[in-house]
PDB file of all heavy atoms in Angstrom:
ATOM      1  N   LEU B  35     118.064  62.045  14.598  1.00  0.00           N
ATOM      2  CA  LEU B  35     117.952  60.769  13.892  1.00  0.00           C
ATOM      3  C   LEU B  35     119.094  60.596  12.891  1.00  0.00           C
ATOM      4  O   LEU B  35     119.577  59.489  12.667  1.00  0.00           O
ATOM      5  CB  LEU B  35     116.610  60.679  13.160  1.00  0.00           C
ATOM      6  CG  LEU B  35     115.387  60.561  14.083  1.00  0.00           C
ATOM      7  CD1 LEU B  35     114.109  60.506  13.266  1.00  0.00           C
ATOM      8  CD2 LEU B  35     115.509  59.340  14.985  1.00  0.00           C
ATOM      9  N   LEU B  36     119.550  61.701  12.310  1.00  0.00           N
ATOM     10  CA  LEU B  36     120.643  61.607  11.340  1.00  0.00           C
ATOM     11  C   LEU B  36     122.002  61.478  12.022  1.00  0.00           C
ATOM     12  O   LEU B  36     122.871  60.762  11.546  1.00  0.00           O
ATOM     13  CB  LEU B  36     120.658  62.838  10.429  1.00  0.00           C
ATOM     14  CG  LEU B  36     119.524  62.989   9.416  1.00  0.00           C
ATOM     15  CD1 LEU B  36     119.694  64.289   8.640  1.00  0.00           C
ATOM     16  CD2 LEU B  36     119.483  61.810   8.463  1.00  0.00           C
ATOM     17  N   ARG B  37     122.179  62.222  13.121  1.00  0.00           N
ATOM     18  CA  ARG B  37     123.529  62.316  13.685  1.00  0.00           C
ATOM     19  C   ARG B  37     123.634  61.869  15.137  1.00  0.00           C
ATOM     20  O   ARG B  37     124.717  61.921  15.704  1.00  0.00           O
ATOM     21  CB  ARG B  37     124.021  63.768  13.596  1.00  0.00           C
ATOM     22  CG  ARG B  37     124.362  64.170  12.190  1.00  0.00           C
ATOM     23  CD  ARG B  37     125.439  65.206  12.186  1.00  0.00           C
ATOM     24  NE  ARG B  37     126.597  64.844  13.000  1.00  0.00           N
ATOM     25  CZ  ARG B  37     127.540  65.701  13.348  1.00  0.00           C
ATOM     26  NH1 ARG B  37     127.440  66.964  13.007  1.00  0.00           N
ATOM     27  NH2 ARG B  37     128.574  65.309  14.060  1.00  0.00           N
ATOM     28  N   GLY B  38     122.536  61.520  15.759  1.00  0.00           N
ATOM     29  CA  GLY B  38     122.589  61.104  17.166  1.00  0.00           C
ATOM     30  C   GLY B  38     122.212  62.250  18.086  1.00  0.00           C
ATOM     31  O   GLY B  38     122.306  63.424  17.721  1.00  0.00           O
ATOM     32  N   TRP B  39     121.796  61.886  19.317  1.00  0.00           N
ATOM     33  CA  TRP B  39     121.268  62.892  20.230  1.00  0.00           C
ATOM     34  C   TRP B  39     122.343  63.798  20.797  1.00  0.00           C
ATOM     35  O   TRP B  39     122.068  64.949  21.133  1.00  0.00           O
ATOM     36  CB  TRP B  39     120.477  62.236  21.358  1.00  0.00           C
ATOM     37  CG  TRP B  39     119.102  61.878  20.890  1.00  0.00           C
ATOM     38  CD1 TRP B  39     118.662  60.652  20.488  1.00  0.00           C
ATOM     39  CD2 TRP B  39     117.997  62.767  20.724  1.00  0.00           C
ATOM     40  NE1 TRP B  39     117.361  60.724  20.071  1.00  0.00           N
ATOM     41  CE2 TRP B  39     116.918  62.001  20.211  1.00  0.00           C
ATOM     42  CE3 TRP B  39     117.817  64.132  20.934  1.00  0.00           C
ATOM     43  CZ2 TRP B  39     115.674  62.564  19.924  1.00  0.00           C
ATOM     44  CZ3 TRP B  39     116.579  64.691  20.655  1.00  0.00           C
ATOM     45  CH2 TRP B  39     115.521  63.905  20.154  1.00  0.00           C
ATOM     46  N   GLY B  40     123.573  63.291  20.945  1.00  0.00           N
ATOM     47  CA  GLY B  40     124.632  64.132  21.516  1.00  0.00           C
ATOM     48  C   GLY B  40     124.841  65.382  20.698  1.00  0.00           C
ATOM     49  O   GLY B  40     124.654  66.506  21.184  1.00  0.00           O
ATOM     50  N   PRO B  41     125.230  65.219  19.407  1.00  0.00           N
ATOM     51  CA  PRO B  41     125.431  66.400  18.552  1.00  0.00           C
ATOM     52  C   PRO B  41     124.158  67.239  18.431  1.00  0.00           C
ATOM     53  O   PRO B  41     124.233  68.476  18.399  1.00  0.00           O
ATOM     54  CB  PRO B  41     125.807  65.810  17.196  1.00  0.00           C
ATOM     55  CG  PRO B  41     126.302  64.443  17.502  1.00  0.00           C
ATOM     56  CD  PRO B  41     125.586  63.969  18.720  1.00  0.00           C
ATOM     57  N   ALA B  42     123.004  66.583  18.367  1.00  0.00           N
ATOM     58  CA  ALA B  42     121.754  67.336  18.230  1.00  0.00           C
ATOM     59  C   ALA B  42     121.555  68.238  19.447  1.00  0.00           C
ATOM     60  O   ALA B  42     121.213  69.415  19.314  1.00  0.00           O
ATOM     61  CB  ALA B  42     120.569  66.385  18.066  1.00  0.00           C
ATOM     62  N   GLY B  43     121.801  67.674  20.643  1.00  0.00           N
ATOM     63  CA  GLY B  43     121.622  68.470  21.854  1.00  0.00           C
ATOM     64  C   GLY B  43     122.547  69.675  21.869  1.00  0.00           C
ATOM     65  O   GLY B  43     122.131  70.791  22.193  1.00  0.00           O
ATOM     66  N   ALA B  44     123.803  69.452  21.461  1.00  0.00           N
ATOM     67  CA  ALA B  44     124.755  70.561  21.439  1.00  0.00           C
ATOM     68  C   ALA B  44     124.305  71.620  20.439  1.00  0.00           C
ATOM     69  O   ALA B  44     124.344  72.824  20.718  1.00  0.00           O
ATOM     70  CB  ALA B  44     126.146  70.047  21.083  1.00  0.00           C
ATOM     71  N   MET B  45     123.865  71.147  19.256  1.00  0.00           N
ATOM     72  CA  MET B  45     123.423  72.089  18.223  1.00  0.00           C
ATOM     73  C   MET B  45     122.242  72.916  18.728  1.00  0.00           C
ATOM     74  O   MET B  45     122.202  74.144  18.566  1.00  0.00           O
ATOM     75  CB  MET B  45     123.045  71.290  16.968  1.00  0.00           C
ATOM     76  CG  MET B  45     122.588  72.099  15.779  1.00  0.00           C
ATOM     77  SD  MET B  45     120.830  72.542  15.790  1.00  0.00           S
ATOM     78  CE  MET B  45     120.074  71.012  15.235  1.00  0.00           C
ATOM     79  N   ILE B  46     121.277  72.244  19.377  1.00  0.00           N
ATOM     80  CA  ILE B  46     120.077  72.945  19.831  1.00  0.00           C
ATOM     81  C   ILE B  46     120.429  73.955  20.926  1.00  0.00           C
ATOM     82  O   ILE B  46     120.001  75.106  20.890  1.00  0.00           O
ATOM     83  CB  ILE B  46     119.023  71.929  20.325  1.00  0.00           C
ATOM     84  CG1 ILE B  46     118.506  71.115  19.140  1.00  0.00           C
ATOM     85  CG2 ILE B  46     117.873  72.632  21.026  1.00  0.00           C
ATOM     86  CD1 ILE B  46     117.677  69.913  19.519  1.00  0.00           C
ATOM     87  N   GLY B  47     121.237  73.516  21.887  1.00  0.00           N
ATOM     88  CA  GLY B  47     121.638  74.428  22.958  1.00  0.00           C
ATOM     89  C   GLY B  47     122.297  75.680  22.408  1.00  0.00           C
ATOM     90  O   GLY B  47     121.970  76.809  22.790  1.00  0.00           O
ATOM     91  N   ASN B  48     123.215  75.476  21.430  1.00  0.00           N
ATOM     92  CA  ASN B  48     123.884  76.621  20.824  1.00  0.00           C
ATOM     93  C   ASN B  48     122.913  77.521  20.093  1.00  0.00           C
ATOM     94  O   ASN B  48     123.010  78.742  20.187  1.00  0.00           O
ATOM     95  CB  ASN B  48     124.957  76.146  19.843  1.00  0.00           C
ATOM     96  CG  ASN B  48     126.272  75.927  20.554  1.00  0.00           C
ATOM     97  OD1 ASN B  48     126.544  76.595  21.542  1.00  0.00           O
ATOM     98  ND2 ASN B  48     127.053  74.983  20.081  1.00  0.00           N
ATOM     99  N   ALA B  49     121.991  76.887  19.340  1.00  0.00           N
ATOM    100  CA  ALA B  49     121.036  77.698  18.579  1.00  0.00           C
ATOM    101  C   ALA B  49     120.265  78.607  19.519  1.00  0.00           C
ATOM    102  O   ALA B  49     120.059  79.794  19.230  1.00  0.00           O
ATOM    103  CB  ALA B  49     120.083  76.797  17.790  1.00  0.00           C
ATOM    104  N   VAL B  50     119.847  78.078  20.667  1.00  0.00           N
ATOM    105  CA  VAL B  50     119.056  78.879  21.596  1.00  0.00           C
ATOM    106  C   VAL B  50     119.904  80.006  22.190  1.00  0.00           C
ATOM    107  O   VAL B  50     119.531  81.176  22.161  1.00  0.00           O
ATOM    108  CB  VAL B  50     118.479  78.001  22.728  1.00  0.00           C
ATOM    109  CG1 VAL B  50     117.680  78.863  23.705  1.00  0.00           C
ATOM    110  CG2 VAL B  50     117.601  76.905  22.162  1.00  0.00           C
ATOM    111  N   PHE B  51     121.070  79.644  22.704  1.00  0.00           N
ATOM    112  CA  PHE B  51     121.867  80.610  23.445  1.00  0.00           C
ATOM    113  C   PHE B  51     122.496  81.651  22.516  1.00  0.00           C
ATOM    114  O   PHE B  51     122.420  82.854  22.761  1.00  0.00           O
ATOM    115  CB  PHE B  51     122.949  79.869  24.231  1.00  0.00           C
ATOM    116  CG  PHE B  51     123.581  80.689  25.311  1.00  0.00           C
ATOM    117  CD1 PHE B  51     122.808  81.376  26.234  1.00  0.00           C
ATOM    118  CD2 PHE B  51     124.962  80.778  25.413  1.00  0.00           C
ATOM    119  CE1 PHE B  51     123.386  82.139  27.231  1.00  0.00           C
ATOM    120  CE2 PHE B  51     125.557  81.528  26.416  1.00  0.00           C
ATOM    121  CZ  PHE B  51     124.767  82.209  27.322  1.00  0.00           C
ATOM    122  N   GLU B  52     123.081  81.172  21.411  1.00  0.00           N
ATOM    123  CA  GLU B  52     123.801  82.092  20.528  1.00  0.00           C
ATOM    124  C   GLU B  52     122.854  83.046  19.793  1.00  0.00           C
ATOM    125  O   GLU B  52     123.229  84.160  19.454  1.00  0.00           O
ATOM    126  CB  GLU B  52     124.645  81.316  19.508  1.00  0.00           C
ATOM    127  CG  GLU B  52     125.724  80.438  20.133  1.00  0.00           C
ATOM    128  CD  GLU B  52     126.770  81.252  20.895  1.00  0.00           C
ATOM    129  OE1 GLU B  52     127.036  82.399  20.476  1.00  0.00           O
ATOM    130  OE2 GLU B  52     127.299  80.757  21.910  1.00  0.00           O
ATOM    131  N   THR B  53     121.634  82.598  19.521  1.00  0.00           N
ATOM    132  CA  THR B  53     120.685  83.506  18.873  1.00  0.00           C
ATOM    133  C   THR B  53     120.398  84.691  19.783  1.00  0.00           C
ATOM    134  O   THR B  53     120.336  85.835  19.337  1.00  0.00           O
ATOM    135  CB  THR B  53     119.376  82.767  18.538  1.00  0.00           C
ATOM    136  OG1 THR B  53     119.699  81.664  17.699  1.00  0.00           O
ATOM    137  CG2 THR B  53     118.408  83.668  17.804  1.00  0.00           C
ATOM    138  N   GLY B  54     120.262  84.413  21.081  1.00  0.00           N
ATOM    139  CA  GLY B  54     120.045  85.505  22.018  1.00  0.00           C
ATOM    140  C   GLY B  54     121.211  86.483  22.030  1.00  0.00           C
ATOM    141  O   GLY B  54     121.030  87.676  22.229  1.00  0.00           O
ATOM    142  N   LEU B  55     122.415  85.954  21.800  1.00  0.00           N
ATOM    143  CA  LEU B  55     123.622  86.789  21.872  1.00  0.00           C
ATOM    144  C   LEU B  55     124.008  87.413  20.534  1.00  0.00           C
ATOM    145  O   LEU B  55     125.069  88.008  20.419  1.00  0.00           O
ATOM    146  CB  LEU B  55     124.802  85.938  22.366  1.00  0.00           C
ATOM    147  CG  LEU B  55     124.824  85.599  23.853  1.00  0.00           C
ATOM    148  CD1 LEU B  55     125.870  84.536  24.131  1.00  0.00           C
ATOM    149  CD2 LEU B  55     125.115  86.836  24.683  1.00  0.00           C
ATOM    150  N   ASN B  56     123.150  87.260  19.520  1.00  0.00           N
ATOM    151  CA  ASN B  56     123.506  87.747  18.191  1.00  0.00           C
ATOM    152  C   ASN B  56     123.395  89.277  18.117  1.00  0.00           C
ATOM    153  O   ASN B  56     122.300  89.835  18.103  1.00  0.00           O
ATOM    154  CB  ASN B  56     122.586  87.095  17.158  1.00  0.00           C
ATOM    155  CG  ASN B  56     123.016  87.401  15.744  1.00  0.00           C
ATOM    156  OD1 ASN B  56     123.543  88.462  15.461  1.00  0.00           O
ATOM    157  ND2 ASN B  56     122.791  86.457  14.862  1.00  0.00           N
ATOM    158  N   TYR B  57     124.559  89.923  18.017  1.00  0.00           N
ATOM    159  CA  TYR B  57     124.599  91.394  18.060  1.00  0.00           C
ATOM    160  C   TYR B  57     123.658  92.014  17.027  1.00  0.00           C
ATOM    161  O   TYR B  57     122.884  92.924  17.335  1.00  0.00           O
ATOM    162  CB  TYR B  57     126.025  91.879  17.813  1.00  0.00           C
ATOM    163  CG  TYR B  57     126.140  93.361  17.601  1.00  0.00           C
ATOM    164  CD1 TYR B  57     126.079  94.238  18.665  1.00  0.00           C
ATOM    165  CD2 TYR B  57     126.314  93.881  16.315  1.00  0.00           C
ATOM    166  CE1 TYR B  57     126.172  95.605  18.470  1.00  0.00           C
ATOM    167  CE2 TYR B  57     126.404  95.247  16.108  1.00  0.00           C
ATOM    168  CZ  TYR B  57     126.339  96.103  17.195  1.00  0.00           C
ATOM    169  OH  TYR B  57     126.428  97.452  16.996  1.00  0.00           O
ATOM    170  N   SER B  58     123.716  91.501  15.790  1.00  0.00           N
ATOM    171  CA  SER B  58     122.946  92.137  14.721  1.00  0.00           C
ATOM    172  C   SER B  58     121.449  92.083  14.981  1.00  0.00           C
ATOM    173  O   SER B  58     120.707  92.939  14.531  1.00  0.00           O
ATOM    174  CB  SER B  58     123.238  91.452  13.387  1.00  0.00           C
ATOM    175  OG  SER B  58     124.616  91.439  13.154  1.00  0.00           O
ATOM    176  N   LEU B  59     121.028  91.061  15.714  1.00  0.00           N
ATOM    177  CA  LEU B  59     119.593  90.944  15.965  1.00  0.00           C
ATOM    178  C   LEU B  59     119.097  91.969  16.988  1.00  0.00           C
ATOM    179  O   LEU B  59     117.901  92.044  17.251  1.00  0.00           O
ATOM    180  CB  LEU B  59     119.248  89.529  16.434  1.00  0.00           C
ATOM    181  CG  LEU B  59     119.359  88.456  15.361  1.00  0.00           C
ATOM    182  CD1 LEU B  59     119.046  87.088  15.942  1.00  0.00           C
ATOM    183  CD2 LEU B  59     118.402  88.751  14.217  1.00  0.00           C
ATOM    184  N   SER B  60     120.011  92.778  17.539  1.00  0.00           N
ATOM    185  CA  SER B  60     119.554  93.821  18.469  1.00  0.00           C
ATOM    186  C   SER B  60     118.632  94.801  17.753  1.00  0.00           C
ATOM    187  O   SER B  60     117.889  95.546  18.391  1.00  0.00           O
ATOM    188  CB  SER B  60     120.741  94.557  19.085  1.00  0.00           C
ATOM    189  OG  SER B  60     121.458  95.243  18.089  1.00  0.00           O
ATOM    190  N   VAL B  61     118.671  94.804  16.410  1.00  0.00           N
ATOM    191  CA  VAL B  61     117.750  95.689  15.679  1.00  0.00           C
ATOM    192  C   VAL B  61     116.310  95.274  15.902  1.00  0.00           C
ATOM    193  O   VAL B  61     115.405  96.101  15.773  1.00  0.00           O
ATOM    194  CB  VAL B  61     118.012  95.680  14.155  1.00  0.00           C
ATOM    195  CG1 VAL B  61     119.395  96.190  13.864  1.00  0.00           C
ATOM    196  CG2 VAL B  61     117.803  94.315  13.565  1.00  0.00           C
ATOM    197  N   VAL B  62     116.072  94.009  16.204  1.00  0.00           N
ATOM    198  CA  VAL B  62     114.678  93.547  16.307  1.00  0.00           C
ATOM    199  C   VAL B  62     113.927  94.296  17.410  1.00  0.00           C
ATOM    200  O   VAL B  62     112.956  94.991  17.125  1.00  0.00           O
ATOM    201  CB  VAL B  62     114.622  92.019  16.480  1.00  0.00           C
ATOM    202  CG1 VAL B  62     113.210  91.568  16.788  1.00  0.00           C
ATOM    203  CG2 VAL B  62     115.138  91.327  15.227  1.00  0.00           C
ATOM    204  N   PRO B  63     114.370  94.216  18.681  1.00  0.00           N
ATOM    205  CA  PRO B  63     113.614  94.961  19.694  1.00  0.00           C
ATOM    206  C   PRO B  63     113.645  96.463  19.468  1.00  0.00           C
ATOM    207  O   PRO B  63     112.653  97.148  19.739  1.00  0.00           O
ATOM    208  CB  PRO B  63     114.307  94.591  21.010  1.00  0.00           C
ATOM    209  CG  PRO B  63     115.620  94.039  20.633  1.00  0.00           C
ATOM    210  CD  PRO B  63     115.479  93.444  19.274  1.00  0.00           C
TER     211      PRO B  63
END
Side-chain angles (χ1 to χ4, degrees):
Chain B
L35 291 179
L36 290 178
R37 287 210 50 194
W39 280 100
M45 181 276 281
I46 292 169
N48 272 330
V50 179
F51 196 50
E52 298 297 328
T53 302
L55 285 168
N56 188 328
Y57 170 77
S58 306
L59 289 178
S60 64
V61 298
V62 172

